[in-house]
Amino acid sequence: MYKKIGYLGPKGSYSMLAVSALCPNALALEYPSFYLVFQALTLGEVDAIVLPIENSINGGVMQNIDLLQQSDNLIAVKECKIKIDHRLIYLKGANLSKIKTVYSHSQALAQCAKFLQKNFPNAKQVATPSTSGCIEMINSPEEVGIVGAHYSVNGFEISQYGVADEPSNYTQFLLVVNGREEMIAEHERIYFSFTCPHEPGALLKMLTVLEEINMTKIESRPIKERVGEFRFFIEVFGNLKDSKVKNALLSLSQKATSFKILGCY
């Protein structure tokens, strides 16, 4: 259905694995930043994009939550969870007792914080745009990166063991398309955001509307232009064709100062 899928590259990133899981027959097109991934979709360069939205250890991927919220006419229509298996990658023959610099995506560095502190306490940690992107930075045997266990490249070795602090580590990815009409497709979960009056009890009144619906996620983000106020992001089990769910969300949207459906998947 979707022929071209944009993702955060380069090749070998976890996002590329998600593309294979969500749209195995599509052409995967890599972009160097999430901002450019979103831009590719809005400009029509791709039919859909794949985004990491939440990690089971670190929580929400805030940049992508913000970009999804700010984008017009975009909707998430599918989701998958990818097992995260971080490994060290280094030049063949490197002596791991002499490592001075560790490269990887900021999320990967955070998810391996205890391991890095124990094994490379004096090494400088440098964030890269993606896990696979760290390969371009490794130029000496005193440098290592953190990539997925699935990754391989000539001239490099990958550790035989995982280096994440928690072995049970998954990231939720969303397939996002341009066109709100996709909301009518079959789905079992709904992802939405709202803001409420900045007054005592306002959030409680909002959540009471959802008391008969199973909530699977809730998080808040500061509203940049209104210091001290927050936008709430919620995922629930439900289908918009279910009158109970539809009426609950309608009631919530009427009570909220702003309301937006971000995904039906």
Side-chain angles (χ1 to χ4, degrees):
M1 182 178 180
Y2 306 113
K3 296 181 180 180
K4 297 180 180 180
I5 311 296
Y7 73 97
L8 178 68
K11 294 178 180 179
S13 66
Y14 285 109
S15 290
M16 188 175 182
L17 283 185
V19 172
S20 298
L22 291 166
C23 299
N25 298 317
L27 174 63
L29 300 178
E30 62 182 82
Y31 293 86
S33 71
F34 286 124
Y35 175 81
L36 292 176
V37 170
F38 270 87
Q39 181 175 276
L41 179 58
T42 57
L43 293 179
E45 296 176 7
V46 295
D47 303 311
I49 56 176
V50 163
L51 303 170
I53 204 73
E54 183 183 66
N55 178 262
S56 59
I57 295 175
N58 281 17
V61 182
M62 297 309 177
Q63 179 186 7
N64 287 342
I65 291 174
D66 288 344
L67 286 169
L68 187 58
Q69 171 66 36
Q70 295 162 9
S71 300
D72 294 328
N73 207 42
L74 301 188
I75 190 81
V77 294
K78 292 177 70 176
E79 66 98 29
C80 73
K81 289 182 174 62
I82 298 293
K83 178 74 166 65
I84 304 301
D85 186 359
H86 293 315
R87 305 291 178 95
L88 294 179
I89 190 166
Y90 43 88
L91 291 170
K92 287 185 176 180
N95 185 343
L96 296 185
S97 67
K98 298 183 178 180
I99 297 304
K100 295 182 178 179
T101 309
V102 182
Y103 298 101
S104 195
H105 190 273
S106 57
Q107 288 263 337
L109 293 173
Q111 291 161 22
C112 303
K114 293 179 182 178
F115 174 89
L116 295 177
Q117 178 59 35
K118 178 181 178 180
N119 293 274
F120 310 121
N122 300 314
K124 180 180 180 181
Q125 297 181 23
V126 179
T128 56
S130 67
T131 50
S132 56
C134 72
I135 298 301
E136 301 172 3
M137 307 296 292
I138 301 174
N139 298 306
S140 85
E142 296 181 338
E143 300 171 327
V144 299
I146 299 174
V147 297
H150 59 280
Y151 196 72
S152 64
V153 61
N154 291 335
F156 287 81
E157 295 183 50
I158 292 185
S159 63
Q160 297 299 307
Y161 51 87
V163 297
D165 298 333
E166 299 291 339
S168 182
N169 185 3
Y170 291 83
T171 292
Q172 179 190 29
F173 288 83
L174 299 181
L175 181 71
V176 177
V177 301
N178 199 341
R180 306 297 288 184
E181 66 275 5
E182 296 288 348
M183 287 169 52
I184 65 173
E186 288 300 319
H187 54 274
E188 62 180 21
R189 272 179 286 174
I190 305 167
Y191 186 39
F192 59 91
S193 67
F194 70 84
T195 57
C196 56
H198 191 45
E199 59 189 34
L203 178 59
L204 178 60
K205 293 177 183 177
M206 296 292 171
L207 296 181
T208 301
V209 175
L210 304 174
E211 62 182 349
E212 296 184 2
I213 299 175
N214 188 11
M215 187 187 307
T216 55
K217 179 194 306 184
I218 180 171
E219 56 195 327
S220 62
R221 292 284 290 143
I223 300 175
K224 296 180 176 61
E225 63 274 17
R226 300 205 298 271
V227 177
E229 297 187 40
F230 294 84
R231 176 173 283 107
F232 299 91
F233 294 83
I234 291 179
E235 181 189 77
V236 298
F237 272 116
N239 191 302
L240 290 175
K241 295 179 181 179
D242 182 331
S243 58
K244 181 177 71 174
V245 173
K246 185 176 181 179
N247 290 336
L249 293 184
L250 177 60
S251 176
L252 190 149
S253 68
Q254 292 171 342
K255 297 177 185 295
T257 52
S258 70
F259 177 86
K260 182 179 183 180
I261 291 182
L262 304 172
C264 295
Y265 42 83

